[in-house]
Amino acid sequence: MTAFRSMAMASAIAATLMLAAAVPAAAKFKSGIWEGDAYISKEGKFQRCAIVGDYKSGTDLGFGLAASGVYEVYLIDKTWALEAGQAAKVTIKVDDRPEISGAFQVVSKDTLGTLLQDHPELVQAFKAGNVATISGFFGTLKFPLTGTAKAFAAMEDCVKQVKAGVRDGKKLAEAREKIAKVHGQELFKLQPQAFAWRVLKDLPENQFAIPNDVEQAMKRWNAALVWRIERGLGLVQSVGGKHSEEELRVELTKLKSPSCSGTLTSEADLRLMPGDDTVLPHVELSCTDVGNGNPAYEVLTFFPHASGNMIAVSHIGETLDIARAADNTFLNQVAVIAGQK
């Protein structure tokens, strides 16, 4: 008979098993009787993915895979009133494999848990076995292990996905930190999304806010980035080549006509970059009815890009004044950044 590694050996180990204190992340998954989720700490650090089986006995069996790669096993019973710091001797036997006994630590008042880092054979047994027999102060319980192989795979995939997301998030944060330092004509070397983000970073968030569902919004509007403004939205897109303001007005009118049920009017002119002699094409579109009885107004300014293409920044508002005000604020901020040495 072998024993579990005691979680009481190091307080840091016990701290990593604070499943109940963790905050569920948006990564829920289900596999048979097993339901899982990713968990982060109150400080926002990824801790683990965990799965729990819904058993009729009232005591549930659960497993975790920590961000460090250590597997965990849990017993959960809502009728328990355990005290923090306590430990309980538990014996596990899967099918006819050797018994393994050791101390489970109190994770919360209704949950016991331990680490399986010294017992890879038990992890494999849980994945491939038929029945786990677990004994302790609660008596002897039998847990069918139906579907655990798929459930473990889903849990492992959850950890991979969250870690990939964390890495992507760090890369994004590093990229944004670098972009935030861009000034002068370097601004016009950025791709449309980075260009818009750099400008928005210096604008009031309560007036220019990137929505939580930005990915869906970008797909919906076919844009490199989308943001909210007062009673409207803004977006950025790339336009291939260089075009006159009249060419842009004609093409935009053709593009917007099918979505306007009322009367569509358009105007085009040229604007000067504040504090600069850069000439910018400018187009305004007004539709009296976008299909729901309401009007919509779109104001676009086209900025030069180092590639020879153009960056189209559009603001759409419930009134023309709203769209114009947002466009003007964005334009002035571009001028400020571009004029910085």
Side-chain angles (χ1 to χ4, degrees):
M1 181 184 296
T2 57
F4 301 117
R5 173 177 294 194
S6 172
M7 290 197 297
M9 290 175 61
S11 59
I13 296 176
T16 65
L17 272 172
M18 291 303 291
L19 180 66
V23 180
K28 293 184 181 296
F29 57 94
K30 185 174 176 62
S31 179
I33 69 166
W34 302 89
E35 292 190 6
D37 205 342
Y39 290 81
I40 61 174
S41 68
K42 293 178 179 178
E43 293 72 35
K45 185 176 180 180
F46 172 55
Q47 291 186 317
R48 67 187 30 77
C49 288
I51 53 175
V52 178
D54 184 14
Y55 287 95
K56 296 179 180 179
S57 65
T59 303
D60 292 330
L61 178 64
F63 301 101
L65 178 55
S68 62
V70 176
Y71 286 88
E72 307 154 346
V73 59
Y74 303 100
L75 289 172
I76 306 159
D77 192 315
K78 298 301 181 183
T79 66
W80 290 345
L82 307 175
E83 294 183 11
Q86 286 185 333
K89 182 180 178 181
V90 175
T91 298
I92 297 177
K93 181 178 177 63
V94 178
D95 298 336
D96 57 356
R97 295 171 174 83
E99 289 184 349
I100 298 178
S101 293
F104 270 52
Q105 205 80 15
V106 173
V107 176
S108 65
K109 66 178 183 178
D110 59 7
T111 304
L112 293 169
T114 195
L115 308 179
L116 297 178
Q117 64 194 80
D118 292 337
H119 295 284
E121 77 282 4
L122 188 52
V123 174
Q124 293 306 313
F126 280 129
K127 289 182 179 182
N130 295 308
V131 177
T133 302
I134 303 181
S135 303
F137 68 85
F138 42 79
T140 298
L141 301 170
K142 292 186 179 294
F143 297 96
L145 299 175
T146 306
T148 51
K150 290 183 178 180
F152 266 76
M155 179 173 68
E156 291 160 356
D157 187 57
C158 170
V159 172
K160 289 179 183 177
Q161 290 188 28
V162 174
K163 281 190 170 183
V166 170
R167 287 194 296 270
D168 290 346
K170 288 181 178 178
K171 289 180 181 178
L172 179 61
E174 291 171 358
R176 286 186 170 180
E177 184 177 351
K178 184 176 180 180
I179 292 171
K181 298 176 182 178
V182 169
H183 59 267
Q185 293 304 301
E186 293 295 312
L187 176 65
F188 303 107
K189 295 180 181 179
L190 297 176
Q191 292 303 310
Q193 184 181 79
F195 171 87
W197 187 88
R198 173 64 185 93
V199 179
L200 293 171
K201 177 187 174 298
D202 292 344
L203 292 176
E205 191 173 346
N206 63 339
Q207 298 177 34
F208 294 81
I210 297 176
N212 293 330
D213 62 345
V214 65
E215 294 293 335
Q216 293 89 337
M218 287 159 56
K219 291 178 182 178
R220 187 163 59 248
W221 289 93
N222 191 29
L225 190 65
V226 175
W227 55 93
R228 292 195 185 99
I229 62 171
E230 178 196 6
R231 292 158 56 197
L233 61 86
L235 55 91
V236 64
Q237 296 170 314
S238 178
V239 176
K242 291 184 178 179
H243 307 275
S244 70
E245 72 280 11
E246 182 58 21
E247 289 172 332
L248 291 166
R249 185 195 68 79
V250 171
E251 286 302 312
L252 283 166
T253 301
K254 290 179 181 178
L255 181 66
K256 302 294 182 178
S257 290
S259 60
C260 181
S261 300
T263 302
L264 179 65
T265 57
S266 59
E267 296 179 5
D269 59 16
L270 294 172
R271 301 291 169 91
L272 285 177
M273 183 93 72
D276 197 343
D277 58 359
T278 302
V279 179
L280 306 174
H282 180 87
V283 176
E284 295 185 355
L285 301 161
S286 300
C287 175
T288 58
D289 182 359
V290 292
N292 57 5
N294 295 322
Y297 303 88
E298 185 170 7
V299 176
L300 303 97
T301 296
F302 297 83
F303 297 91
H305 190 263
S307 64
N309 295 324
M310 306 175 82
I311 298 176
V313 175
S314 168
H315 288 94
I316 304 169
E318 292 182 11
T319 70
L320 189 55
D321 285 344
I322 287 174
R324 283 175 173 172
D327 175 79
N328 191 55
T329 300
F330 193 99
L331 171 60
N332 285 330
Q333 190 56 47
V334 170
V336 170
I337 297 170
Q340 293 174 351
K341 305 298 182 182

